[in-house]
Amino acid sequence: MKIVEANGLGLRTRRGWVYRDVDLSAEAGELHAVTGPPGSGRTSLLLALAGRFPHTHGELRRRGPAALGQVAGVHEPDPTLTVAEHIQERLLLLGPVPRRRRQLVPVAAVRARRAYRRDAFAAAIAGAGFTDAPLDPDRYGRDLTPVERQVLGLVLASLSGPNLIVADDVDAGADAPERAWIWAALSRLADQGYAVVVSARAVEPGATAVTHRIGDPALPSPALVAPRPAVEADLTPEVTA
């Protein structure tokens, strides 16, 4: 089942193209990685795919809700809350999964939201498939390493039971063992049934991710390409019965 589909997607401002001519189609259970040089528009593209940022060209279709993981400057941990408090707060804000949506939400997310009064941290970590995560429930947001921030962002994103999860710069600040772990963890998250789209400097060798490179200098000059009208629409409506 296709969760997000972009055809010829682009964003052009008065300063020029942020990104352009992006084709990406992600299904449930797939991991996709957007790579490219600094300034290639990876973050803007991810936010557009999640419905959090505009695009000016091309077509974008998305089925169901999307959730953000770690996106620097946009969606980050609160420095004054511990990891466990982040999870408890998110579960309280979400509340129980409505009965009409339970068949549409991954079982792990339903269980985590039922457990918020008991052991929210353990339930949330297990639900995301991150039981081996390098994450201390008593660690404050301000003290988290780059990898810990990524892990917390992915766990929080999974709690709402979205169809699509996006995260930015997943390999930033990580050493070789940490990069190997995060790519394996992203694959496990996709195995939960989410469509996962992330950006990275490079995809770790052996990672099971579909790679999309943007921002290469070989792209044609904007003046030589006729702009396409922007269209955004949902895919087949979500079944709520």
Side-chain angles (χ1 to χ4, degrees):
M1 180 175 65
K2 288 184 179 179
I3 300 301
V4 63
E5 186 175 10
N7 299 110
L9 203 67
L11 173 61
R12 189 174 188 178
T13 70
R14 286 177 291 181
R15 295 185 177 183
W17 291 96
V18 178
Y19 62 86
R20 62 183 301 185
D21 296 331
V22 174
D23 296 322
L24 186 153
S25 179
E27 298 192 5
E30 289 185 344
L31 170 61
H32 290 248
V34 178
T35 66
S40 58
R42 293 177 302 177
T43 302
S44 297
L45 172 60
L46 286 183
L47 292 173
L49 295 176
R52 308 296 181 92
F53 205 69
H55 63 280
T56 57
H57 293 69
E59 300 177 352
L60 175 62
R61 296 182 174 88
R62 187 176 50 254
R63 181 194 296 271
L68 297 182
Q70 161 80 5
V71 181
V74 176
H75 194 255
E76 299 181 285
D78 186 319
T80 65
L81 296 180
T82 66
V83 168
E85 288 169 344
H86 276 93
I87 291 172
Q88 291 167 348
E89 180 185 63
R90 181 64 57 88
L91 289 171
L92 287 169
L93 289 172
L94 290 170
V97 178
R99 185 178 298 276
R100 64 183 177 81
R101 287 207 72 232
R102 286 180 187 170
Q103 292 182 338
L104 304 174
V105 175
V107 172
V110 175
R111 289 175 178 169
R113 286 164 69 169
R114 284 175 175 169
Y116 76 93
R117 290 185 184 277
R118 300 190 300 276
D119 193 346
F121 175 80
I125 293 293
F130 292 172
T131 52
D132 60 341
L135 205 58
D136 180 349
D138 297 321
R139 195 173 177 90
Y140 283 94
R142 60 175 173 265
D143 300 323
L144 297 177
T145 68
V147 171
E148 290 170 339
R149 294 167 73 88
Q150 289 291 345
V151 173
L152 178 58
L154 293 169
V155 170
L156 294 175
S158 72
L159 293 177
S160 63
N163 288 15
L164 171 66
I165 294 176
V166 305
D168 195 27
D169 277 338
V170 294
D171 56 351
D175 59 23
E178 290 172 332
R179 290 195 300 271
W181 186 91
I182 194 70
W183 285 106
L186 288 166
S187 293
R188 294 199 302 270
L189 188 63
D191 289 342
Q192 299 285 330
Y194 305 105
V196 181
V197 184
V198 303
S199 75
R201 290 169 171 78
V203 177
E204 192 72 6
T208 56
V210 180
T211 304
H212 309 266
R213 184 166 179 83
I214 65 173
D216 283 321
L219 286 174
S221 167
L224 302 178
V225 179
R228 286 183 260 186
V231 178
E232 178 171 358
D234 289 331
L235 295 177
T236 305
E238 186 180 60
V239 178
T240 58

